[in-house]
């Protein structure tokens, strides 16, 4: 029997290839930070499984979407757990990918010949954001309706193609059954297919070029990655596989704990006549939500009536800068002491995004600090309450 | 024998790619058309009955799929598409200040729908509204 399948499927060859891959040397410096990519991929599989289970009961129409999510959450056995794992898994996936990206940046893993690996990685981050955006509408509660409207409004503001993108996303003038159908198809078919294709490309590129060493770009090129690894590398298995398996187990424990202790609830069904309160997006879109607020005549008189468009273009430029990073930073050094300016820019970028996220969080809220009550205005500036 | 360019093989390659290109173009057209659903007809006039709005009060209603904000100002009844012209959040009427405010990015409009503050690039879109002799509010055209 074994022989039958081996002859037809080449199982022994596959096994030998896997053994060879596992023994391949990797740079000595790889540590826990290098488990993040595989961790993100593992969470993606959890999302596929939990998403498939949710799709069994979900009904993508304006009339039934909210009710079906309510039934999944409150009527089905373990429905709350599966939905919470899907929700918190998405949150963990975004965190993991952002940390993975930061690791690649600070270890200069994007430099020649790994420029395309970085570009594909940024595209993957954008896809994950698209996943979050399309998934957010599906419960059709008040928050998801408004957040989607704002998101589509942002895409509509993109110069030249904005109106077409808006029509394509909405399938009409307003959010309707057409919109929900499109978002559902994107969320469960188009985006997963695109993500799997890009992940395969990302993995192919990682296999082709190996994990970046800490040598300068020209040194690695001259000596050859393979030679450096043979002289100074450590076997992938068990040195790194143990770390990756441990990281996955910790992540699983964390995910189930959070999903159990903080189950994802469901707010009221979308009602367009309801009094809208200060609606904010999910934490990973908060920086952009706050960023756009400053592109107004009041803050930047120069933008005039075009603040909305300038803000969107500025966001686009930030994304483009991230995408083109390997082609902008052509310096050869990889060690932190050889690229102090790049490290400084990286820290600055973290402060920039973290500050905007924090400002977005506190804006239009009141907080008690050091015995006094402060109310934060729309721009996140605190005012002492009397 | 001298090889003539393009060869028969080149020709077959060009023909194959060309055919695939033509199929893709012809395939794209119906797909693109299919993805744009037919435009819905005008919802027509909608009778909201007697809203009993006192001066300075407002009400939100849904007209077709559009949220509409109706405000009773000192002189007349006005109605606006409640989607903020900045990024489509649904605006609210603030009776105290007599302004229409967006809860998302801080856009402020006066009761005529004109932008007073914040990022909205243009005034709120007006929706036709009138009150008949019986006091019933008729929305739309």
């Amino acid at each position: 029997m074994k022989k039958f399948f081996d002859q037809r499927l080449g199982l022994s060859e596959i096994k030998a290839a896997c053994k060879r891959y596992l023994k391949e040397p990797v740079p000595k410096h790889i540590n826990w930070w290098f488990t993040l990519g595989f961790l993100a991929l593992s969470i993606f599989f959890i999302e596929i499984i939990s998403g498939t289970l949710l799709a069994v009961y979900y009904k993508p129409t304006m009339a039934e979407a909210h009710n079906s999510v309510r039934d999944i959450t409150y009527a089905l056995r373990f429905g709350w757990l599966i939905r919470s794992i899907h929700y918190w898994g998405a949150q963990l996936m975004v965190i993991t990918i952002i940390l993975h990206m930061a690791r690649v940046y600070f270890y200069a893993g994007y430099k020649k010949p790994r420029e395309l690996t970085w570009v594909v990685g940024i595209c993957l981050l954008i896809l994950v954001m698209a996943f979050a955006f399309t998934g957010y509408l599906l419960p059709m509660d008040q928050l998801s309706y408004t957040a989607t409207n704002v998101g589509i409004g942002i895409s509509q503001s993109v110069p030249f193609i904005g109106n077409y993108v808006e029509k394509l996303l909405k399938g009409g003038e307003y959010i309707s059954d057409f919109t929900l159908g499109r978002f559902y198809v994107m969320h469960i078919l188009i985006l997963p297919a695109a993500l799997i294709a890009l992940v395969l490309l990302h993995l192919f590129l990682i296999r082709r070029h190996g994990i970046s060493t800490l040598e300068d770009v020209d040194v690695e090129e001259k000596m050859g990655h393979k030679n450096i690894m043979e002289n100074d590398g450590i076997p992938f298995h068990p040195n790194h596989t143990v770390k990756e398996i441990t990281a996955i187990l910790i992540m699983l424990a964390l995910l189930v704990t959070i999903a159990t202790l903080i189950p994802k609830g469901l707010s009221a069904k979308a009602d367009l006549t309801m009094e809208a309160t200060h609606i904010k997006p999910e934490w990973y879109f908060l920086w952009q939500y706050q960023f756009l607020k400053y592109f107004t005549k009041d803050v930047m008189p120069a933008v005039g009536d075009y603040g909305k468009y300038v803000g969107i273009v500025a966001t686009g430029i930030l994304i483009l800068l991230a995408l083109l990073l390997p082609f902008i930073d052509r310096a050869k050094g990889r060690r932190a002491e050889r690229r102090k300016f790049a490290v400084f820019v990286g820290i600055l970028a973290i402060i920039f995004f973290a500050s905007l996220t924090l400002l977005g969080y506190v804006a239009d809220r009141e907080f008690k600090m050091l015995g006094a009550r402060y109310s934060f205005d729309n721009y996140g500036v605190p005012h002492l309450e009397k | 024998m001298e090889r003539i360019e393009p060869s028969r093989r080149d020709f077959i390659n060009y023909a194959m790619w060309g055919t695939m290109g033509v199929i893709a173009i012809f395939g794209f057209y119906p797909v693109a058309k299919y993805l744009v659903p037919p435009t819905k007809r005008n919802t027509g006039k909608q009778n909201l009955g007697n809203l009993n709005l006192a001066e300075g009060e407002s009400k939100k209603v849904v007209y077709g799929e559009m949220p509409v904000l109706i405000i009773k100002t000192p002189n007349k009844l006005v109605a606006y598409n409640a989607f903020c012209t900045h990024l489509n959040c649904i605006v609210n009427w603030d009776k105290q200040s007599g302004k229409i405010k967006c809860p998302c990015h801080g856009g402020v409009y006066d009761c005529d729908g004109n932008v007073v503050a914040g990022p909205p690039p243009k005034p709120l879109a007006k929706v036709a509204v009138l009150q008949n002799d019986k006091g019933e509010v008729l929305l739309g055209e």
Side-chain angles (χ1 to χ4, degrees), chain A residues 294-307:
Chain A
Y294 300 115
F295 290 89
T296 61
K297 271 189 281 191
D298 319 339
V299 184
M300 292 184 201
V303 299
D305 290 332
Y306 298 98

Side-chain angles (χ1 to χ4, degrees), chain A residues 145-146 149-150 153-154 157 170-171 174 176 178 182 272-279 289 292-293 296 298 305 308 378, chain B residues 34-37 40 60-62 65-67 81 83 85-90 92-93 103-106 117-119 121:
Chain A
Y145 178 90
T146 310
N149 235 343
V150 173
I154 290 172
S157 312
K170 273 189 186 166
Y174 304 104
S176 63
F178 292 132
R182 273 149 212 262
L272 309 194
T273 61
M274 224 168 79
E275 179 82 359
T277 48
H278 294 300
I279 284 162
Y289 157 85
L292 290 179
K293 284 185 187 173
T296 61
D298 319 339
D305 290 332
K308 171 180 167 179
N378 187 38
Chain B
Y34 172 80
L35 285 175
V36 181
K40 281 195 176 169
K60 261 188 223 158
V61 295
V62 180
E65 284 149 352
M66 180 212 304
N81 178 338
F83 284 130
T85 58
H86 178 225
L87 289 173
N88 298 338
C89 276
I90 298 176
N92 299 316
W93 168 245
C104 291
H105 300 90

